Amino acid sequence: MPLIIGIPRETFPGEKRVASVPDVVEKLIKLGFEVKLESNAGAEANFFDDAYTAVGAKIASTAADLWSGSDIVFKVRAPSVDEVKLMKEGQTLISFIWPAQNPELMQQLAAKKVTVLAIDSLPRQLSRAQKMDALTSMAGIVGYRAVVEAANNFGRFFNGQITAAGKIPPAKVFIAGAGVAGLAAIGTAVGLGAIVRANDTRPEVADQVKSMGAEFVKVDYEEEGSGGGGYAKVMSEGFQAAQRDMYAQQAKDVDIIITTALIPGKPAPKLITADMVKSMKPGSVIVDLAAEQGGNCELTEPGQVVVKHGVTIVGYTDFPSRLAKQSSTLYATNLFRLTEELCKTKDGNVDVNMEDDAIRGLTVIKNGEITWPPPALKLPAPPAAKPAAAVKAPEKKSAHGGSSEPMPLKNLAIVFGVGALMFWLVGSYAPANFLSHFTVFVLACFVGYMVVWNVTPALHTPLMSVTNAISSIIAIGALVQISPPLAEGVDRPNFWIGVLAFIGIALTAVNMFGGFAVTRRMLAMFRK
């Protein structure tokens, strides 16, 4: 018999999201489940009951009916005390739980003998878990919305403009922390035309920041900041002091600061001090994305927008709910992907397989038994070291793939000797006209080589480099043929030679300009 998935209305104050949307409900039904929603569960996110019933869902009039009649419950926020009382033995709950921060809730759920999958406990190191990663989905929305809130509270344009009334400089935005939320904020702010700077304790993030069109501001202190699970680690006191100095300098210069620094299970680090706020220009804005855990700014008031020392400090704790329709859609998709992993037979039943690393990491309670924290992931063993052997030093390569080792003097003398002999033979026996053309050919080869091979190799594929070199040689030689004589008494080239030279110039020009056009399009693929 297929199981029933229940989707209650969220009871947390200000929460507008819903755990599933009509499009995803339709997919759940195709997996073999029955789906039931509490009346008006999605109304705050603009998903109404008639849209759910149109795809085959049923509507429960009260929360008690919904909880009592469901085998699996999808939620966004962790259940309240009243909702835990409505649960029944053997039920499965999938939701944000935050087990480290909610030990009492964990005990209450365990006493109900239920199975709980905490979507926030997903082992994000697993590549196949990305499709279920609701934390990343929500962080992307938070970063985007942070810039929208900053723009709403900022008194000027983000992009620079030149108008009849005068010149408007672009806004300067500094983003502290370049995780998923920070990168989303960077992309949004750059898209609005602001000058964007960012910082993160993880050095590998620098390339990501630069690739999005922002400047990476480095702390003048060497320390590795990468932690487990894609998070940053707590840094040493020396690094934090250097970081505060850098933040103080940025605060004086920028118009908007967006802070995203947060380590799960720990209070938000204080990055922006009251003195830094005082040093900011009047009308500046701080958006604190860590407000729910105390905030990265000393003057943040969680859930409020306050003005201190002429600076607007946004401390909202419900950023995803401020984009409820989009966040509900993404969260519902994450839960659907998880359901696919739990119901591989597509018969409306789930199997919480504790041998599966992803499912084991998510499962914090199994049939009333607390299974959190999970064991460490079994990472693949490193390959066995091969016995040391004498290794020949690799041959140095030039920028264009050839060897950069200098030619031995003996070989160089032989090459020059053979070349000199060939030139003597040509000069002694070849006709005067041939010698003139041969001289043009040699000069064209030399000029073509110097022009094309001095171009940065990254701008050409090897084949394009060679074809452009050949084309430039042909073009230069043809130009010499059709150009007017440089001295009196020198005959003009034959008419047909001139015609062929003109055709050669036209064809090689098409090839060269086409090659550069292709290169330009290739480079444009890496620009925003």
Side-chain angles (χ1 to χ4, degrees):
M1 183 176 177
L3 300 179
I4 299 174
I5 296 176
I7 302 170
R9 185 173 184 175
E10 298 296 322
T11 59
F12 190 87
E15 182 57 70
K16 297 180 180 180
R17 289 173 291 176
V18 62
S20 198
V21 301
D23 288 344
V24 174
V25 166
E26 186 176 12
K27 296 176 182 178
L28 292 171
I29 293 173
K30 289 180 180 178
L31 277 181
F33 296 95
E34 294 183 17
V35 180
K36 182 185 294 187
L37 285 94
E38 184 180 350
S39 180
N40 292 321
E44 293 284 353
N46 291 317
F47 295 110
F48 301 101
D49 290 349
D50 55 353
Y52 289 103
T53 56
V55 296
K58 297 178 181 178
I59 303 297
S61 57
T62 65
D65 291 341
L66 186 284
W67 284 89
S68 63
S70 302
D71 303 300
I72 305 170
V73 176
F74 286 179
K75 269 185 61 60
V76 178
R77 294 274 186 169
S80 64
V81 174
D82 292 335
E83 287 174 321
V84 172
K85 293 178 181 178
L86 295 175
M87 298 186 72
K88 60 183 181 181
E89 184 176 340
Q91 208 166 35
T92 299
L93 172 66
I94 303 177
S95 173
F96 281 104
I97 298 295
W98 304 107
Q101 291 94 320
N102 295 304
E104 293 183 5
L105 174 62
M106 292 285 287
Q107 294 297 332
Q108 294 169 3
L109 292 169
K112 282 288 187 175
K113 299 188 182 303
V114 296
T115 296
V116 179
L117 276 68
I119 199 69
D120 49 88
S121 297
L122 180 76
R124 303 169 80 184
Q125 304 95 314
L126 300 176
S127 58
R128 70 182 186 85
Q130 293 177 1
K131 62 184 179 181
M132 303 177 274
D133 189 359
L135 284 174
T136 295
S137 299
M138 297 302 104
I141 289 173
V142 168
Y144 170 85
R145 186 69 192 192
V147 178
V148 173
E149 294 294 340
N152 182 53
N153 287 278
F154 188 51
R156 291 196 287 108
F157 294 133
F158 262 49
N159 62 324
Q161 296 187 19
I162 298 177
T163 70
K167 182 179 179 181
I168 303 172
K172 295 180 181 178
V173 179
F174 178 70
I175 296 172
V180 177
L183 291 174
I186 290 171
T188 307
V190 169
L192 289 175
I195 296 173
V196 184
R197 304 167 188 164
N199 168 262
D200 197 280
T201 58
R202 296 162 293 180
E204 65 271 16
V205 174
D207 289 337
Q208 300 175 20
V209 170
K210 294 174 184 176
S211 70
M212 298 188 73
E215 175 190 352
F216 185 79
V217 183
K218 192 175 184 297
V219 176
D220 189 17
Y221 192 98
E222 294 298 330
E223 183 176 349
E224 171 60 43
S226 299
Y231 295 102
K233 71 175 185 180
V234 178
M235 306 301 286
S236 67
E237 182 55 40
F239 181 92
Q240 292 180 31
Q243 188 182 51
R244 284 192 292 270
D245 291 340
M246 182 269 290
Y247 284 155
Q249 295 174 6
Q250 293 297 321
K252 295 176 182 178
D253 185 48
V254 301
D255 304 299
I256 295 168
I257 296 178
I258 298 175
T259 64
T260 70
L262 190 62
I263 298 175
K266 298 181 181 294
K270 300 299 181 186
L271 305 179
I272 308 299
T273 64
D275 289 338
M276 294 180 195
V277 176
K278 290 180 183 178
S279 71
M280 295 181 73
K281 293 174 281 190
S284 298
V285 179
I286 296 174
V287 182
D288 194 339
L289 299 185
E292 195 165 5
Q293 298 298 323
N296 295 137
C297 176
E298 287 185 348
L299 302 181
T300 296
E301 295 184 15
Q304 304 294 324
V305 176
V306 296
V307 179
K308 301 287 182 71
H309 309 294
V311 177
T312 302
I313 304 173
V314 180
Y316 292 140
T317 58
D318 60 346
F319 281 101
S321 283
R322 292 174 178 270
L323 224 63
K325 188 166 188 175
Q326 184 67 74
S327 55
S328 297
T329 301
L330 294 179
Y331 182 65
T333 302
N334 293 140
L335 294 192
F336 171 69
R337 297 305 180 191
L338 171 57
T339 308
E340 285 184 318
E341 294 294 317
L342 296 172
C343 181
K344 294 183 177 179
T345 56
K346 299 183 180 180
D347 59 354
N349 290 282
V350 298
D351 176 25
V352 181
N353 181 12
M354 301 295 275
E355 299 299 320
D356 184 316
D357 286 340
I359 303 303
R360 176 63 187 87
L362 284 167
T363 307
V364 295
I365 299 176
K366 178 71 180 292
N367 296 326
E369 179 185 351
I370 295 178
T371 59
W372 187 87
L377 289 175
K378 298 176 182 178
L379 300 176
K386 295 182 179 179
V391 180
K392 182 181 177 182
E395 182 184 8
K396 295 182 180 179
K397 300 291 184 179
S398 70
H400 295 280
S403 174
S404 62
E405 294 293 337
M407 183 181 294
L409 292 177
K410 181 180 178 180
N411 293 348
L412 189 63
I414 293 173
V415 170
F416 273 101
V418 173
L421 179 62
M422 291 180 62
F423 272 102
W424 179 79
L425 290 172
V426 170
S428 298
Y429 299 101
N433 288 339
F434 176 81
L435 189 61
S436 173
H437 293 310
F438 183 71
T439 303
V440 171
F441 173 75
V442 172
L443 291 175
C445 289
F446 178 75
V447 173
Y449 175 87
M450 295 303 296
V451 169
V452 176
W453 249 252
N454 282 330
V455 175
T456 303
L459 300 180
H460 292 281
T461 64
L463 179 60
M464 192 178 297
S465 297
V466 174
T467 56
N468 276 352
I470 296 172
S471 298
S472 63
I473 292 169
I474 296 171
I476 293 171
L479 286 170
V480 171
Q481 290 295 333
I482 64 174
S483 61
L486 299 178
E488 295 183 2
V490 179
D491 296 333
R492 298 183 66 87
N494 182 278
F495 172 76
W496 291 110
I497 292 178
V499 170
L500 292 175
F502 178 79
I503 294 174
I505 291 174
L507 294 177
T508 53
V510 170
N511 182 64
M512 287 190 292
F513 284 106
F516 286 115
V518 170
T519 300
R520 183 176 179 276
R521 292 184 64 180
M522 291 171 61
L523 294 175
M525 293 170 60
F526 299 95
R527 298 193 186 104
K528 182 173 174 64

